[in-house]
Amino acid sequence: QVQLVESGGGLVQAGGSLRLSCAASGLIISINDMAWYRQVPGKERELVAVITIAGSTKYTESVKGRFTISRDNAKKSVFLEMNSLKPEDTAVYYCNAELRTIESGQVRNRKYWGQGTQVTVSS
């Protein structure tokens, strides 16, 4: 069974740092783009950062200069280093990855989501 498992969320004071991790497992042939999204109650899920297989990155404007996305292809993992955290960064953070997998004997290409990890920044 293919899945993405996140870790690293928690409670931190404003100005602090957290590092999120996400590891993919299962019968995975290859991984294309990997990304982090976040969502607060009552709002749509927002793209925070994305990293391509070549290592190119993009960030939403509000986190530029504070967050860094990286990946380890050998470990099928993506990370989000979050510094200078603000209360408005409070959200559930979700890992997302475009995976080519083998499921039920067939090759499939689709996006997978992690279960989400809560990040709470206190003022």
Side-chain angles (χ1 to χ4, degrees):
Q1 181 181 0
V2 176
Q3 59 179 351
L4 301 178
V5 179
E6 300 145 349
S7 60
L11 173 63
V12 64
Q13 288 188 334
S17 299
L18 282 174
R19 177 179 167 89
L20 305 183
S21 301
C22 172
S25 63
L27 293 176
I28 298 169
I29 299 171
S30 62
I31 304 176
N32 198 359
D33 290 358
M34 304 186 84
W36 289 95
Y37 287 73
R38 65 187 179 187
Q39 189 170 25
V40 298
K43 292 190 177 181
E44 291 189 358
R45 196 167 292 188
E46 170 193 33
L47 176 63
V48 176
V50 60
I51 184 167
T52 69
I53 191 171
S56 298
T57 59
K58 288 185 179 180
Y59 298 90
T60 191
E61 192 65 34
S62 63
V63 308
K64 285 181 180 178
R66 301 188 297 120
F67 290 13
T68 303
I69 189 170
S70 60
R71 63 191 287 169
D72 183 332
N73 293 326
K75 294 183 178 179
K76 301 184 181 66
S77 296
V78 63
F79 310 96
L80 187 67
E81 186 75 34
M82 304 185 293
N83 298 314
S84 302
L85 282 161
K86 304 175 181 180
E88 51 264 44
D89 294 318
T90 295
V92 177
Y93 283 71
Y94 295 91
C95 171
N96 176 275
E98 295 181 21
L99 305 179
R100 175 169 289 185
T101 65
I102 298 175
E103 294 180 73
S104 302
Q106 294 188 342
V107 175
R108 299 183 184 275
N109 294 281
R110 71 177 184 93
K111 290 187 175 184
Y112 288 80
W113 291 95
Q115 80 283 1
T117 185
Q118 177 70 46
V119 171
T120 303
V121 184
S122 63
S123 57

